Amino acid sequence: MSHTLYETKIQRVQRCELAVPGSSPEMFEKALKSGVDFVFLDLEDAVAPDDKLQARKNVIQAINDLDWKAQGITVSVRINGLDTQYMVRDVVDLVEQAGDKIDTLLIPKAGVYSDIYMVEAMVNQLEMQQGLKKRIGLEALIETALGMANVEDIARNGSRGRLEALHFGVADYAASNRARTTNIGGLNPDYPGDQWHFAISRMTVACRAYGLRPIDGPYGDIKDPDGYKLAARRAAALGCEGKWAIHPTQITLANEVFTPPEAEVDKAKRILVALKEAAAQGKGAAALDGRLIDAASERMANNVVRIADAIAARK
């Protein structure tokens, strides 16, 4: 093991993250009662330009008036991009008017680390100005060719500050790369396999190397639950902790995929017990169910148990 280690900065249960347009306040109450782990109230792509200012007001009111914590929901807001006229007031108004109730801000289309730095510098100043005790985290979307080209640098430098997680934004990533695809997050039958595999894997490796949470993004066809679950399983297999839902019907699907099955948790616990017994006998390895287990098995088992415990604590 390298002497240089980056532990996970902040562990949150993030099996599913529900996207809620800030211009649709009628959806806020439904999101509150949806049972989802994470909600991001959206000021960016889901909001038309003429509705941006009102959406910001709606989101601030929803954060202050609704008791998200009582429902065990982590609250995030996706701000507008750094290349727009809205971003500055998004950050200022959100932190000044609802900063004590916001868990994270989600930065769209991060291309270089300085994008993260700019928002972080603003939040630092605003928290001091407001005298806030609760620290607002940052998350960022990797959804452009530039962002993916710089993902390791974004993760490495961002992890020193407020950055907690990276999300894979498949739709804008496809557009940025001029990729041919059948739907948001879907597979192209002309490609021999999963064309998103490399991108998700690269982002996930960058996250795990520097202590961030990797989260998979949206799946556009809300009438295709099987396709959603397949996409979620692929992301989970690569190490993602959760996936977006763009419709409440996708929440249950994500929770199912990203919750370790009882049998898997039981096996992980048996691995830990067997290795503890082996260690008491001066052995570094053991046999369980006819298979060799060792220190690497222990680390994998601890991951499963840690996730299961965090989910149980949320419930």
Side-chain angles (χ1 to χ4, degrees):
M1 187 71 74
S2 171
H3 187 65
T4 301
L5 296 173
Y6 293 81
E7 298 295 335
T8 301
K9 289 188 59 177
I10 296 180
Q11 188 67 56
R12 301 183 191 267
V13 178
Q14 202 166 356
R15 296 169 297 175
C16 186
E17 182 152 355
L18 180 63
V20 185
S23 53
S24 301
E26 68 278 5
M27 295 184 179
F28 297 160
E29 192 79 33
K30 295 177 182 178
L32 182 72
K33 299 176 181 179
S34 66
V36 76
D37 297 330
F38 235 86
V39 162
F40 82 81
L41 304 174
D42 193 14
L43 299 179
E44 198 220 10
D45 278 357
V47 179
D50 290 345
D51 296 331
K52 295 284 189 183
L53 302 185
Q54 184 59 49
R56 187 190 299 146
K57 295 176 182 178
N58 295 343
V59 165
I60 291 170
Q61 182 176 351
I63 292 171
N64 285 320
D65 291 354
L66 299 178
D67 195 351
W68 303 94
K69 288 292 168 285
Q71 301 297 325
I73 295 175
T74 302
V75 177
S76 181
V77 181
R78 179 164 69 168
I79 61 175
N80 283 286
L82 274 67
D83 60 336
T84 72
Q85 67 193 47
Y86 308 106
M87 185 279 291
V88 171
R89 290 298 341 162
D90 285 349
V91 177
V92 172
D93 289 359
L94 285 164
V95 179
E96 285 187 343
Q97 299 177 40
D100 59 335
K101 296 180 181 179
I102 294 172
D103 295 300
T104 70
L105 296 179
L106 178 58
I107 304 168
K109 301 177 180 66
V112 293
Y113 165 65
S114 58
D115 294 340
I116 312 302
Y117 181 84
M118 179 177 181
V119 178
E120 180 157 14
M122 291 180 64
V123 175
N124 287 343
Q125 295 293 318
L126 288 162
E127 281 190 350
M128 287 190 285
Q129 170 193 294
Q130 296 301 111
L132 298 178
K133 303 301 181 184
K134 179 182 176 182
R135 181 180 171 90
I136 298 172
L138 297 180
E139 302 179 77
L141 269 155
I142 302 300
E143 51 184 340
T144 64
L146 181 63
M148 191 59 70
N150 291 304
V151 68
E152 290 86 6
D153 187 61
I154 291 170
R156 179 174 59 253
N157 288 295
S159 68
R160 299 170 182 167
R162 295 176 182 267
L163 192 63
E164 298 181 9
L166 296 178
H167 300 234
F168 179 57
V170 64
D172 278 298
Y173 184 76
S176 178
N177 282 283
R178 301 181 186 180
R180 293 183 177 180
T181 182
T182 54
N183 58 60
I184 296 174
L187 301 182
N188 187 326
D190 292 334
Y191 187 86
D194 178 2
Q195 72 263 40
W196 313 123
H197 177 272
F198 167 77
I200 296 175
S201 182
R202 182 177 181 183
M203 186 196 78
T204 298
V205 169
C207 285
R208 295 308 185 189
Y210 297 108
L212 307 179
R213 302 186 306 273
I215 306 298
D216 190 23
Y219 186 85
D221 190 348
I222 62 175
K223 296 182 179 181
D224 181 17
D226 291 337
Y228 180 94
K229 288 177 69 173
L230 285 172
R233 289 192 183 109
R234 290 193 297 270
L238 291 172
C240 287
E241 295 193 11
K243 184 170 177 60
W244 287 15
I246 61 171
H247 190 274
T249 57
Q250 295 179 333
I251 296 173
T252 301
L253 306 176
N255 286 349
E256 177 186 336
V257 172
F258 290 98
T259 301
E262 185 176 342
E264 185 178 331
V265 177
D266 178 67
K267 183 177 180 180
K269 291 179 177 179
R270 290 195 298 120
I271 287 172
L272 297 178
V273 170
L275 287 172
K276 184 176 181 179
E277 293 174 348
Q281 300 171 19
K283 301 177 181 178
L288 181 68
D289 300 336
R291 296 186 178 184
L292 177 71
I293 55 174
D294 57 11
S297 306
E298 182 178 22
R299 287 189 285 272
M300 290 187 288
N302 273 322
N303 287 338
V304 173
V305 173
R306 191 179 300 116
I307 293 171
D309 287 347
I311 293 170
R314 180 190 179 280
K315 293 179 180 178

